[in-house]
Amino acid sequence: MTFNKSIKDHSRFVQCVRFSPSGDSFVSAGMDGKMFIYDGKTGDKISELTGASDGHTGGILSFSWSPDGKQILSCSGDTTAKIWDVAAKSVVTPNVVATNGVPNGIAATGPYVVVASGTGHVSLYQDDAIVFSKTFTWTPTAVAISPDAKYVAIGDEAKVVHIFSFSGDSLDEIQALNNNRGEITSLSFSPDGSMLASADRERTILVFDTAAWTVGLQSSCSSY
């Protein structure tokens, strides 16, 4: 892994960075309540996304791209979840779902939205209607949903990635992945759902094969 650029547009901690589905751009979100859009190849800043008057009033903790790359769903310490039009740089829906406290992670695909809060509560919505809700004994720190909505992955403070199967109205845990070395900070499925990447506070990134839930790639990042 080669380090070739440092970006310092945020004034506070960066909480989430995700590439668009096409890879043409990526967005960063931070505790300063801002999101910036960058060119996916050069890393050059294109614009700020969060200048709207009805934007978040707290730090942005996580976000998720729509499959077509036209919208972003973000969640914040202000306990709201908003849908943004990327091209117009405007809020489409000011508060799309309830976050049940400060959200630690949010993910979406098609009509489904999953929200995980620091209280241990996880909610799954379909077309704005809640279809699953549960408070776990462990604290969720990151969440991802596969493109086909077959799996939901939830990371926790104890270095575990919990894998759930989704059947339309329930989440059933089928795997507990204990390969990471620190608290899980980010999770993301590949566009075809064949891989799941997990990152932790010990600067380790693992990529799992979702057919067998085995590690296919591991990388450790140095501090810069």
Side-chain angles (χ1 to χ4, degrees), residues 119-159:
T119 61
H121 195 82
V122 174
S123 300
L124 197 152
Y125 297 81
Q126 179 180 3
D127 294 323
D128 300 333
I130 192 164
V131 294
F132 176 85
S133 181
K134 182 176 180 178
T135 299
F136 292 94
T137 57
W138 39 269
T139 302
T141 55
V143 64
I145 184 169
S146 62
D148 59 3
K150 184 178 179 181
Y151 299 112
V152 172
I154 305 174
D156 71 15
E157 291 181 333
K159 315 174 188 178

Side-chain angles (χ1 to χ4, degrees), residues 40-61:
K41 293 182 179 179
T42 66
D44 295 335
K45 184 171 70 174
I46 298 173
S47 63
E48 180 184 343
L49 180 60
T50 43
S53 59
D54 52 355
H56 289 294
T57 58
I60 300 174
L61 305 173

Side-chain angles (χ1 to χ4, degrees), residues 19-95:
F19 274 89
S20 64
S22 67
D24 292 337
S25 60
F26 66 89
V27 167
S28 64
M31 290 303 293
D32 54 6
K34 297 181 181 295
M35 289 192 290
F36 295 102
I37 308 172
Y38 300 91
D39 184 276
K41 293 182 179 179
T42 66
D44 295 335
K45 184 171 70 174
I46 298 173
S47 63
E48 180 184 343
L49 180 60
T50 43
S53 59
D54 52 355
H56 289 294
T57 58
I60 300 174
L61 305 173
S62 185
F63 68 87
S64 180
W65 288 87
S66 63
D68 60 8
K70 294 181 178 180
Q71 294 183 327
I72 282 177
L73 171 65
S74 62
C75 65
S76 167
D78 63 11
T79 71
T80 65
K82 300 178 184 293
I83 295 178
W84 300 78
D85 183 303
V86 177
K89 303 178 187 64
S90 62
V91 175
V92 176
T93 308
N95 198 11

